[in-house]
Amino acid sequence: MGQVCNTPVSRIVTMFSSNQKSEILNQKFPRPGFSLLELILVLAILSLGAALMAPSLIGFARQHEALDVASDMVALTQFAQDQAAQQGVPYRFNVDAAAQTYWLTVQKQGAFVPLTTDLGKTMTIPSRLTVTWEAVADASTEGVVEFQSDGLHEAACLRLMDENGNGARIVGVVTTEPFRVVELAANQEVR
């Protein structure tokens, strides 16, 4: 095995002549990091990539817009079903397809009134989506799903579709189970 050099650096430098020392000290060593030109080039490439991807990302978001709204609606129906069972009073999930709105109401003194919380405000369905109620046996009133104090609800099925045929269905045909979202792709047959 070779020997380990224990000579300090200052002693090694003194072994060279003054000309050699200045040559060594003035020698340019590559510095770590990136030059400004390299950074600008990388930023230009990233900007170009982002510009090329932006339209497809916007399309992706719009394609899933119906699914997002349907998920929000299902969350409201689950809240209404839970509150009706806990408080022992009927709740209603209301949808006005013509006005593209939906909201919750609760029965107080024989009449249904909007909730006084944030969940009682009227929500808007984006204008790019169309809302239609699908026929379900035993459904009483189109536009309203009532949740009874015993936890049961009326059967209902609501469809949200965009102009490309993508959408979602909100399905609650079993009156003892919560509503659920079913995704519909473009040109998919509705069952």
Side-chain angles (χ1 to χ4, degrees):
M1 292 245 269
Q3 294 181 348
V4 176
C5 178
N6 290 328
T7 310
V9 174
S10 60
R11 190 163 176 203
I12 293 173
V13 171
T14 57
M15 294 193 302
F16 295 105
S17 69
S18 62
N19 287 342
Q20 290 173 326
K21 282 187 215 175
S22 65
E23 247 181 70
I24 291 171
L25 295 174
N26 290 333
Q27 203 175 32
K28 290 189 177 180
F29 295 102
R31 285 181 255 150
F34 300 102
S35 70
L36 182 60
L37 180 62
E38 291 169 326
L39 289 174
I40 290 173
L41 183 63
V42 168
L43 284 174
I45 291 169
L46 289 174
S47 298
L48 180 64
L52 292 174
M53 288 177 41
S56 64
L57 291 176
I58 291 169
F60 178 80
R62 283 196 176 156
Q63 182 179 0
H64 289 87
E65 189 171 38
L67 209 53
D68 292 341
V69 172
S71 295
D72 291 346
M73 288 178 154
V74 165
L76 274 181
T77 63
Q78 290 172 348
F79 174 79
Q81 188 171 15
D82 291 344
Q83 292 301 306
Q86 286 177 8
Q87 295 177 3
V89 294
Y91 273 68
R92 282 186 177 170
F93 175 69
N94 308 276
V95 178
D96 184 344
Q100 299 280 102
T101 57
Y102 61 99
W103 66 98
L104 287 180
T105 54
V106 61
Q107 188 176 28
K108 289 187 179 180
Q109 299 172 352
F112 282 90
V113 296
L115 301 178
T116 56
T117 65
D118 283 344
L119 295 174
K121 68 181 180 182
T122 301
M123 316 285 183
T124 304
I125 299 167
S127 60
R128 289 181 294 279
L129 300 176
T130 57
V131 183
T132 54
W133 287 90
E134 296 180 1
V136 175
D138 301 331
S140 62
T141 310
E142 184 176 294
V144 175
V145 178
E146 191 164 320
F147 297 90
Q148 298 299 323
S149 58
D150 57 5
L152 298 177
H153 62 79
E154 296 176 334
C157 187
L158 183 68
R159 187 187 327 180
L160 297 167
M161 299 296 284
D162 67 12
E163 62 273 5
N164 298 324
N166 296 307
R169 290 173 74 205
I170 301 166
V171 181
V173 292
V174 180
T175 60
T176 56
E177 294 180 8
F179 280 77
R180 61 188 171 88
V181 176
V182 178
E183 184 175 4
L184 298 173
N187 302 323
Q188 180 180 350
E189 183 110 359
V190 178
R191 291 184 265 153

